[in-house]
Amino acid sequence: MFKGTLLSMKKLLLLLFSFALFGLWSERNVQSVHASTIASERLYRLYNPNSGEHFYTKARLEKQQLVALGWQDEGTGWYAPVTGEAVYRLYNPNAGDHHYTLSAGEKEALVAKGWRYEGVGWYSAPSNADYAKPLYRAYNPNALAGSHNYTLNKAEQTYLTSLGWQDEAIAWYGVNLPSPLIVDLSEWQSPSKIDYDTLANQIDGAIVRVYTGYRADNNYQRHLTELQKRGVPVAVYAYVAPSDTLAEINAQATQFYHLASSFQPKFYWLDVEDEYLSGGLTDGTSIRDAMESYRLTLATNGASKIGAYIANNRFATFNLDTTKFQAIWVPTYGDNSGYYENNAPDSTENFALHQYTSTARLKGYDGSLDLNRLSGQVSFAQLFS
């Protein structure tokens, strides 16, 4: 009786005050902002198979123009802070080669030799920042063009030096954001604060909340429409709310599917984290059986790929049958610095996605964002195509 009364009161509060209350207890929606968190932006890496030059730019249009000319798109080189110590970009019109440096003295020396100064290419993070990630520089004394290489990958640096390249140590610092970069969005991220053109350039994929358990997310249609318009692969999720009966759980699943299906998402996620789910349903159904029923209802409606987002601190308590889902997604934030802190969930090793912060800043959005990384157990394509 007590549990049933408690759940009913909970449901009433959610119905009356859902916009104000949703997420206040949720690990997902902790919005404490760390002073060290600054906005970051993507740097693209390209390769010219004719000259052997690697080229780096934050301008998507420049990347697209070079790809059209035959350059190979090598994806994300790294993420750079939008402010910091300037990295200068120069061009040698004789060799057709670019050079990048933190050193104003090196810049001036090259300009004196006929190189063209092309301005600030991007910025370096402070070397002593806990989120700083080094970019290594190597030099090929035998190359006319493409004589320098810059990489986050220490193994790549080691390989080049084994071939005779000169190790020139650390060139500058990016920020520790794993690639591919996946955000999840809900009504907490107001469209009025989003420059969708800019944000779309920073991310590889997005998981958008469609349903809260009792109502549609206020911004899901706008988020999905704007992201799909810009070619960003999307998935969807629903916050699973406490319920009295299995019929109510199945109704949540059906409503979630009907709201999302017109956008043809490739993956549907159940967000299972509410503490009131721990005791199961008032009708006696365990949370394990209830979530299996939710999954089956989604599948019956037409969802082909279904995953579960499970709170790290309630993973064992919920005891879901994770083998029935195509992927598992777990949040752990560490100090919640806005960057990846090289940590992982401790509740399970069986996870495809790790939500590692809720306070990230990316160029294109004036506020905090949830960021997620692949664990390596599944590919990006498996989750978004």
Side-chain angles (χ1 to χ4, degrees):
M1 175 66 72
F2 177 75
K3 183 174 72 171
T5 302
L6 183 60
L7 284 175
S8 297
M9 291 175 63
K10 174 72 173 176
K11 192 187 306 182
L12 179 60
L13 287 172
L14 286 170
L15 285 168
L16 294 176
F17 306 110
S18 56
F19 182 81
L21 294 181
F22 243 94
L24 291 181
W25 61 86
S26 166
E27 186 171 5
R28 169 186 306 279
N29 290 312
V30 175
Q31 296 294 321
S32 59
V33 177
H34 290 246
S36 63
T37 305
I38 57 175
S40 304
E41 60 185 337
R42 184 204 301 264
L43 265 294
Y44 299 104
R45 170 169 157 158
L46 301 103
Y47 176 69
N48 187 331
N50 298 312
S51 68
E53 179 187 6
H54 281 98
F55 180 73
Y56 314 87
T57 179
K58 64 182 180 182
R60 188 179 186 185
L61 178 59
E62 184 174 32
K63 180 201 77 169
Q64 292 171 334
Q65 290 170 337
L66 290 175
V67 169
L69 294 174
W71 290 65
Q72 295 175 4
D73 182 357
E74 294 188 322
T76 302
W78 68 95
Y79 279 84
V82 298
T83 60
E85 189 175 359
V87 177
Y88 306 110
R89 169 173 151 173
L90 301 104
Y91 175 69
N92 185 336
N94 299 312
D97 193 20
H98 283 86
H99 186 67
Y100 317 90
T101 180
L102 275 175
S103 170
E106 184 178 22
K107 177 196 73 171
E108 296 302 330
L110 291 175
V111 169
K113 293 180 179 180
W115 289 67
R116 296 175 185 168
Y117 174 53
E118 295 187 330
V120 175
W122 50 83
Y123 294 93
S124 172
S127 61
N128 61 350
D130 56 4
Y131 55 83
K133 198 166 186 180
L135 269 290
Y136 302 101
R137 169 171 151 172
Y139 173 65
N140 184 346
N142 301 312
L144 179 63
S147 58
H148 281 91
N149 187 68
Y150 308 86
T151 181
L152 284 174
N153 191 332
K154 184 63 174 177
E156 181 181 357
Q157 179 80 349
T158 301
Y159 175 70
L160 291 177
T161 55
S162 73
L163 297 178
W165 290 63
Q166 296 175 7
D167 186 348
E168 294 190 332
I170 295 172
W172 57 80
Y173 292 84
V175 299
N176 198 9
L177 295 179
S179 181
L181 195 151
I182 302 166
V183 303
D184 55 278
L185 301 173
S186 70
E187 64 190 29
W188 296 99
Q189 287 76 43
S190 171
S192 65
K193 294 184 177 182
I194 299 178
D195 178 339
Y196 286 98
D197 285 331
T198 301
L199 183 63
N201 290 342
Q202 312 307 319
I203 63 177
D204 297 290
I207 308 174
V208 176
R209 187 176 75 174
V210 168
Y211 191 55
T212 70
Y214 293 112
R215 62 176 177 83
D217 183 283
N218 288 328
N219 292 327
Y220 86 92
Q221 292 176 311
R222 178 72 183 279
H223 288 329
L224 287 169
T225 298
E226 297 293 348
L227 292 171
Q228 289 186 323
K229 186 189 302 183
R230 291 160 176 81
V232 177
V234 297
V236 293
Y237 78 90
Y239 191 102
V240 180
S243 295
D244 292 322
T245 66
L246 200 57
E248 290 179 0
I249 284 291
N250 294 337
Q252 286 189 49
T254 298
Q255 183 66 5
F256 172 32
Y257 180 81
H258 288 325
L259 289 171
S261 59
S262 62
F263 292 92
Q264 300 182 325
K266 302 302 181 182
F267 223 100
Y268 290 75
W269 291 93
L270 286 63
D271 180 350
V272 189
E273 60 178 307
D274 194 300
E275 64 178 313
Y276 288 97
L277 292 170
S278 300
L281 311 186
T282 305
D283 66 4
T285 305
S286 69
I287 184 60
R288 181 184 177 94
D289 290 341
M291 291 306 95
E292 173 57 13
S293 184
Y294 195 123
R295 187 196 66 81
L296 280 173
T297 302
L298 271 181
T300 300
N301 274 284
S304 59
K305 293 183 178 181
I306 304 170
Y309 172 105
I310 309 173
N312 185 63
N313 62 337
R314 300 189 181 106
F315 198 95
T317 303
F318 288 157
N319 189 31
L320 303 194
D321 186 353
T322 57
T323 64
K324 299 294 182 65
F325 294 92
Q326 275 72 51
I328 300 300
W329 177 16
V330 183
T332 55
Y333 297 157
D335 291 332
N336 207 9
S337 63
Y339 306 99
Y340 178 45
E341 299 174 14
N342 300 310
N343 65 322
D346 58 12
S347 57
T348 179
E349 295 181 353
N350 178 33
F351 63 94
L353 269 181
H354 171 208
Q355 185 183 81
Y356 57 87
T357 184
S358 65
T359 66
R361 299 276 174 158
L362 291 178
K363 191 173 183 180
Y365 176 62
D366 182 20
S368 294
L369 289 167
D370 297 340
L371 296 187
N372 309 273
R373 68 178 182 92
L374 296 175
S375 69
Q377 293 187 8
V378 300
S379 69
F380 180 85
Q382 287 174 289
L383 297 181
F384 286 94
S385 64

